Amino acid sequence: MASKCSACGKPLGFIEGRIFARILCNQCAAQKAAREQAQKEQEKRLVQIAKEKYSAIPKQLWTGEIGREEAASLLRTWATEAKLTDGEQRLICDSAFHDFTLQLLADDVLTQDEENKLSTIAPILGVTQERIEKDFRDLLFRLTIGRMNDGRMPILNKASLLLKKGEVGHIEMVAALLKQVAIREYQGSYSGFSFRIVKGVRYHVGGTKGRSVVVGTEWQTQDQGTLSVTSHRVVFLGSKRSVEMPYKRLLQVEVFSDGIRLHLANRVSTPTFVVENGDVVACAINTAIQRFSE
């Protein structure tokens, strides 16, 4: 007896029913596949909508359309609906935090009100101070510069440098003191002879007429240590030597992306240091000098 389609009752052929053990006829099987495909497409659209709603929440929080508690609740809800992994959630929230911070720092000044606003939304987006120091190093330095441009200098609770009376420590950075070394090359002629070292051959000194000449210079690390900027001076404390640079003797500051050079009165050499961010050090020195001169 021929088997029948479980959906429409239409008899199945011998090959369909007996050999391939199908329970649906070709027409019903095609309809079922179409329904399943439509359902998958619908689920995909719903997930995409949920992702878009999740991505919109940080902006709504930033503009004040929703509050902190509502934002936190919606982030959890839409993360589940969008089937977002922890990594995907962090990527969206980190990107939003990065963009918001850059908006505040467009003028290179971070006011107290702006910092308070940023500090309010950061925890909702999963951005802690520890993560800012670890994962947002570029923003950390710009935030520091923004505060200093607003006149709010950082104050070290415990400085590695022994401070003088009335002196305040502002920043400390790991630094390397550089020295410029001449690159020499031997140039000239030689009037002697070349030989293999064999028995009976003697080497005579004095055939050289060339000389050693300087063909360039290169920077080498002279010492490793800490560069401190205080209210009165810049000090490098190294393992081999220390360099003190009072503001009253400072003539010029050259800033590099990864370093800084200080020109001092009555000093032939110009102390040059490699630091993680030269702009932060330069900004701290500039702000401290303005206060020092008042």
Side-chain angles (χ1 to χ4, degrees), residues 53-121:
K53 288 185 176 295
Y54 183 94
S55 300
I57 295 172
K59 184 176 181 180
Q60 294 171 346
L61 174 64
W62 179 253
T63 58
E65 297 178 42
I66 56 177
R68 296 177 59 192
E69 293 183 2
E70 184 180 2
S73 176
L74 288 174
L75 283 173
R76 290 192 296 269
T77 298
W78 290 118
T80 302
E81 293 291 330
K83 301 178 181 179
L84 295 173
T85 64
D86 291 342
E88 291 172 330
Q89 295 176 54
R90 173 170 289 192
L91 182 63
I92 294 172
C93 290
D94 284 1
S95 178
F97 175 79
H98 191 276
D99 292 343
F100 299 152
T101 304
L102 291 182
Q103 290 179 31
L104 294 182
L105 295 173
D107 57 355
D108 291 323
V109 177
L110 183 69
T111 66
Q112 185 64 66
D113 289 341
E114 290 173 336
E115 185 171 2
N116 291 341
K117 181 178 181 179
L118 197 62
S119 300
T120 298
I121 73 164

Side-chain angles (χ1 to χ4, degrees), residues 67 70 100 104 142 158 169 175 179 197 210 219 233 255 283 293:
E70 184 180 2
F100 299 152
L104 294 182
R142 291 199 60 179
K158 187 177 181 181
K179 63 178 179 179
I197 301 178
W219 290 100
R233 55 187 173 152
V255 187
C283 185
S293 303

Side-chain angles (χ1 to χ4, degrees), residues 101-111 114 138-139 141-152 279 283 286-287:
T101 304
L102 291 182
Q103 290 179 31
L104 294 182
L105 295 173
D107 57 355
D108 291 323
V109 177
L110 183 69
T111 66
E114 290 173 336
D138 59 327
L139 292 183
F141 293 129
R142 291 199 60 179
L143 287 168
T144 302
I145 292 174
R147 294 189 193 98
M148 291 191 289
N149 285 337
D150 189 48
R152 297 182 292 125
D279 290 331
C283 185
N286 179 64
T287 307

